[in-house]
Amino acid sequence: MRITLPPGPRRGVPRHRRSAGATPPPERHRPRIIQGGALALPAESRYVHTARRFADQGATTWGLDQDCRDTLVLIVGELAANAAQHGGAAMSVKVWIAGPELCVEVTDTGPLPKVPDIRDPDGECGRGLGIVDRLTDWCAIDQTPLMRRVRAGFGIRRSARQ
């Protein structure tokens, strides 16, 4: 298990992996990452709590209000649970502030699972991405044959104590 969480503000431009010949977006369109952290874990359900705790600690360190922290923890929990249930051997969780947004990315290995049948209103499965979609301003899923990445973001609110 690897945890990276800088204690204070971090300034810089995120580095993106690009395919050969790809043109990077103009500098003015790249968001500046102010604060952020990353966590690599085995894709197992027993580590979902670790991912939630990591997100909560980061949000607390960054001075986000309780509502924002609770929303972040729920989003990370849903996405990490999906990665643990449907992914391969490993998952990574990234949380960062980019301008006025709090962004989350959960990546795992493995093929996209079949769409669950949620006709049973009392069933326990099949609602995670719907919950994430309702809680965020945007949500995107990227997939290759070897990995799946779910990214989401929503507006942040700082705690009055700052």
Side-chain angles (χ1 to χ4, degrees), residues 6-73:
R10 188 172 132 198
R11 304 204 185 282
V13 176
R15 296 182 187 263
H16 300 283
R17 291 187 182 177
R18 298 180 203 100
S19 58
T23 305
E27 192 68 32
R28 67 182 182 278
H29 294 296
R30 289 186 186 172
R32 291 182 59 83
I33 295 180
I34 306 302
Q35 298 167 319
L39 174 69
L41 294 166
E44 298 174 18
S45 60
R46 64 185 168 149
Y47 292 106
V48 172
H49 174 72
T50 304
R52 287 192 300 255
R53 191 173 65 231
F54 164 76
D56 187 51
Q57 287 174 346
T60 301
T61 300
W62 304 328
L64 302 182
D65 72 7
Q66 186 65 48
D67 229 20
C68 199
R69 289 192 337 244
D70 291 344
T71 300
L72 174 64
V73 169

Side-chain angles (χ1 to χ4, degrees), residues 131-151:
I131 291 169
V132 170
D133 189 50
R134 293 286 302 226
L135 292 173
T136 59
D137 297 331
W138 59 271
C139 184
I141 302 172
D142 301 314
Q143 173 151 355
T144 69
L146 300 176
M147 70 81 155
R148 176 179 36 260
R149 176 178 58 210
V150 181
R151 294 175 293 144

